[in-house]
Amino acid sequence: MLVTALTERLRRIVGERHYRDDKEALIAHSYDGTPMLQSLPDGVIYPESTSQVSEIMQALAEYRVPVVSRGSGSNLCGGTVPVQGGVVMVMHRMNRLLEVDKENLTATVQPGMITAEFIAQIESLGLFYPPDPSSMKISTIGGNIAECSGGLRGLKYGTTKDYVIGLEAVLASGEIVRTGGKLMKDVAGYDLTKLLVGSEGTLAIITEATLKLIPPPAEKKTMLAMYKDLYGAARTVSRIIEAKIIPATLEFMDNPTIRVVDDFAKLGLPRDMEAILLIEQDGAAETVERDIARIRDICEQENADRIEVAETREHADKLLTARRSAFTALARLRPTTILEDATVPRSRIADMVLRINEIARKYEVSIATFGHAGDGNLHPTATTDARDKEEVHRVELAFEEIFEAAIALGGTITGEHGVGAVKAPYLEWKIGKAGIDVMKNIKLAFDPHNLLNPGKIFAKETRKRVVIERG
């Protein structure tokens, strides 16, 4: 519980209505999209300006009270759960598109704006912001920046970090810093902009972002390639890239995911396929037609059982929506759904999917796999029941082995979900003790009293590694 002098000071900063410590508010902000993780904060505050964020941080720093900045709480790594109590700072009131600069092709936006709303406004002006996380209808721009969100278009266009060129942020002390700007070149010192992107709220609180925009593609075409051979699908992915074709979207669904998505979206997908690739290309009309024809040839050479090209934009959108709904469809099966992400070199996708299936059988748990085949980012998703402690323990053991398998294949423990609290015990597996020490020293420089999102990224103890030979 916070001392009265502090809560009164916080109420003066934001107004009586915008600081809450009632039971309803505390419970509502004690969890996020991560299953089986909950911790009550001591208060919830809703600033409306950078100056208010600065004043709030000065007050919290004086009393050494931790703070967790939060958008919609849709992350899946426990990143916005206040595991050490303190104050949750909700950024939803700071939700404006401040400027679209057509001369410099940039947009300046506050962190609380919903991603899909931002994209819709940008597209209405004839411009394009490519990052498209599956959660974009509820996630915020600030949350995307904190987690360095990816999305279906990541293969061709990159992820959030590739579009953030300037930030305004508040440090743990309350000082305001500005990094980058409307510049395509800037090597004045360390790149603090890129350092803050993906820092999960542990280094500063982002209050404004300048984002790069690009011209929209003139044409799009979408196709499905369906395989009875998992390796045929994987080889197709590698051969498309080897042919120097970079699709806008190159997505993968395994058989369990195909079945569940078809039940949910009613697309009439063939349920006997081991894998489906969802492929979209965009760009100049002539280029799109040529690339889709070449991709189709590659799919046929790798023995795709069926190939379907969307004839209309509505049909294409339906196919893309089906892929985006994979998590929602799987979540209908059991009371608890654990969606993870592990990334491997795209040439090892089939090996990784087979390892996931072997591990699922070993621990007798249900895991479906889908993801971004083009960049090797897979989402093994376990359906379980949090009330069954023994089964949940087996799921946890399975995921530990999945993370180690990804590393053994030359991959990583997370491609886009972040480390947060959930992946912290495995981070040293990927970057080593020296890497952890460097990151801790960066954290210390930004936040000497460990007030910003404490208990995230750095674990008290690293998990013992599963012994798997590198592939």
Side-chain angles (χ1 to χ4, degrees):
M1 183 176 292
L2 306 182
V3 298
T4 302
L6 175 58
T7 59
E8 289 177 350
R9 183 170 166 183
L10 294 175
R11 285 190 169 95
R12 285 196 299 271
I13 293 169
V14 296
E16 188 72 27
R17 292 175 53 240
H18 301 300
Y19 175 82
R20 293 179 61 183
D21 54 11
D22 56 282
K23 185 177 180 181
E24 180 182 1
L26 299 184
I27 292 175
H29 296 88
S30 66
Y31 60 91
D32 56 22
T34 315
M36 302 179 297
L37 184 62
Q38 186 173 23
S39 182
L40 285 171
D42 298 295
V44 183
I45 198 162
Y46 308 82
E48 68 171 353
S49 67
T50 301
S51 61
Q52 284 189 358
V53 174
S54 176
E55 288 186 64
I56 292 165
M57 287 312 307
Q58 289 175 41
L60 296 178
E62 184 177 325
Y63 285 87
R64 300 287 191 267
V65 172
V67 61
V68 178
S69 56
R70 176 186 173 112
S72 298
S74 58
N75 80 91
L76 296 163
C77 64
T80 51
V81 177
V83 295
Q84 295 186 17
V87 171
V88 171
M89 187 183 298
V90 183
M91 309 304 287
H92 276 175
R93 294 177 70 205
M94 298 178 64
N95 61 7
R96 292 184 297 134
L97 176 57
L98 300 174
E99 179 195 50
V100 176
D101 184 339
K102 292 187 177 181
E103 291 183 345
N104 288 301
L105 288 183
T106 64
T108 303
V109 62
Q110 292 182 312
M113 189 169 194
I114 299 297
T115 310
E117 293 176 6
F118 172 73
I119 290 174
Q121 288 199 39
I122 295 303
E123 290 184 351
S124 73
L125 298 173
L127 296 168
F128 187 37
Y129 178 73
D132 61 336
S134 294
S135 61
M136 64 182 181
K137 289 186 178 180
I138 56 171
S139 66
T140 62
I141 291 292
N144 295 170
I145 293 170
E147 298 294 338
C148 191
S149 298
L152 274 66
R153 296 192 286 242
L155 170 61
K156 183 173 185 176
Y157 291 104
T159 60
T160 300
K161 71 177 184 294
D162 300 302
Y163 295 87
V164 181
I165 57 175
L167 291 172
E168 177 187 80
V170 177
L171 301 178
S173 63
E175 295 172 280
I176 299 169
V177 295
R178 291 176 177 84
T179 72
K182 298 177 183 181
L183 306 166
M184 293 302 105
K185 291 182 177 179
D186 182 3
V187 292
Y190 297 143
D191 192 340
L192 297 179
T193 305
K194 291 294 188 286
L195 181 60
L196 293 179
V197 176
S199 63
E200 304 186 28
T202 63
L203 300 181
I205 295 174
I206 293 163
T207 52
E208 188 177 294
T210 300
L211 306 176
K212 179 177 70 175
L213 307 176
I214 61 176
E219 184 70 40
K220 293 181 183 178
K221 207 146 204 179
T222 306
M223 66 183 290
L224 284 182
M226 310 169 208
Y227 296 81
K228 291 184 177 178
D229 172 25
L230 183 63
Y231 275 96
R235 285 193 302 269
T236 298
V237 173
S238 297
R239 285 195 57 196
I240 289 171
I241 306 303
E242 191 179 350
K244 299 181 177 61
I245 303 170
I246 307 297
T249 298
L250 182 46
E251 295 291 300
F252 168 87
M253 292 188 289
D254 73 354
N255 180 267
T257 309
I258 294 166
R259 290 171 175 269
V260 174
V261 166
D262 193 53
D263 287 340
F264 179 76
K266 310 298 183 188
L267 290 174
L269 298 175
R271 301 162 73 90
D272 60 338
M273 296 296 162
E274 286 302 310
I276 284 180
L277 296 179
L278 171 65
I279 307 165
E280 184 172 76
Q281 184 58 302
D282 63 11
E286 182 181 339
T287 301
V288 171
E289 291 294 337
R290 183 191 68 222
D291 285 353
I292 287 292
R294 291 171 67 197
I295 290 170
R296 183 175 194 132
D297 287 344
I298 292 169
C299 294
E300 289 173 349
Q301 290 164 19
E302 293 300 340
N303 299 315
D305 193 78
R306 283 174 54 184
I307 298 171
E308 179 181 333
V309 178
E311 296 299 327
T312 65
R313 192 66 241 164
E314 290 74 21
H315 186 199
D317 288 341
K318 190 174 182 181
L319 297 178
L320 288 165
T321 299
R323 161 57 187 89
R324 292 186 191 278
S325 69
F327 175 59
T328 303
L330 287 163
R332 298 164 71 232
L333 298 181
R334 301 281 304 278
T336 307
T337 307
I338 304 174
L339 172 63
E340 279 295 355
D341 80 317
T343 302
V344 295
R346 51 182 162 247
S347 61
R348 308 307 299 270
I349 285 174
D351 297 325
M352 188 63 196
V353 174
L354 291 175
R355 284 292 296 124
I356 291 169
N357 293 343
E358 290 169 4
I359 292 166
R361 287 192 295 270
K362 174 181 175 180
Y363 291 100
E364 298 180 329
V365 294
S366 176
I367 298 179
T369 303
F370 59 93
H372 316 301
D375 53 27
N377 186 202
L378 296 173
H379 295 307
T381 304
T383 51
T384 183
D385 188 335
R387 295 166 295 186
D388 187 338
K389 303 301 181 186
E390 192 275 333
E391 182 179 81
V392 167
H393 179 62
R394 284 187 280 115
V395 169
E396 291 171 347
L397 292 175
F399 276 124
E400 282 192 10
E401 203 160 319
I402 285 169
F403 300 150
E404 175 61 12
I407 293 172
L409 290 170
T412 185
I413 61 171
T414 176
E416 60 186 6
H417 289 179
V419 176
V422 173
K423 296 283 184 72
Y426 311 103
L427 182 60
E428 191 174 320
W429 292 9
K430 174 58 182 172
I431 67 172
K433 185 180 183 303
I436 293 287
D437 289 343
V438 170
M439 290 176 62
K440 283 183 174 179
N441 283 326
I442 293 171
K443 167 72 169 171
L444 184 65
F446 274 84
D447 182 17
H449 301 295
N450 195 27
L451 302 181
L452 292 169
N453 208 4
K456 310 299 167 57
I457 297 182
F458 307 110
K460 291 181 179 178
E461 186 176 348
T462 296
R463 291 286 177 89
K464 185 177 179 181
R465 290 185 69 163
V466 183
V467 180
I468 298 178
E469 293 183 3
R470 287 187 174 271

